[in-house]
């Protein structure tokens, strides 16, 4: 029987996103992500096979989050305010 995870997949991805935002993707390492998440390096490799796969997961999560916010803004009742609100999603999402 395997051990219970100390953090969720979402928490691991959030830690990886923070490291990538701080250091840039090229300097993001599994060691840095593990340290940020407060878990052993092996715990990271247990969930993802490589640094590239981890960064891909971070990118996919960010793209899905952005798309969700953008579509929510477009779904507003009035067309013009909805378009203006949708246009503001990009800078808000990027800052967050």
């Amino acid at each position: 029987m395997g051990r219970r995870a100390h953090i969720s997949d979402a928490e691991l991805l959030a830690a990886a996103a923070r490291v990538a935002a701080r250091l840039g993707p090229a300097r993001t390492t599994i060691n840095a992500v593990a340290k940020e998440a407060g878990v052993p390096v092996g715990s990271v490799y247990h969930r993802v096979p490589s640094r590239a796969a981890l960064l891909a997961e971070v990118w996919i999560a960010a793209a899905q989050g952005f798309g969700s916010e953008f579509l929510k803004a477009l779904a507003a009742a009035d067309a013009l305010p909805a378009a203006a609100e949708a246009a503001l999603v990009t800078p808000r999402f990027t800052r967050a």
Side-chain angles (χ1 to χ4, degrees):
M1 183 152 120
R3 290 189 212 176
R4 203 172 129 208
H6 292 273
I7 63 170
S8 68
D9 290 345
E11 289 169 322
L12 180 62
L13 288 179
R18 288 191 302 272
V19 172
R22 188 171 59 244
L23 301 177
R27 293 181 52 209
T28 297
T29 64
I30 295 291
N31 286 338
V33 171
K35 184 176 180 180
E36 178 76 19
V39 298
V41 172
S43 293
V44 178
Y45 279 115
H46 180 71
R47 295 172 192 227
V48 294
S50 67
R51 176 185 160 280
L54 178 61
L55 290 173
E57 290 290 330
V58 169
W59 178 257
I60 290 167
Q64 287 174 335
F66 173 80
S68 174
E69 292 298 315
F70 191 77
L71 291 175
K72 229 188 307 182
L74 284 178
D78 297 326
L80 188 55
E85 188 61 29
L88 293 173
V89 169
T90 300
R92 289 180 187 149
F93 187 85
T94 304
R95 279 189 221 116

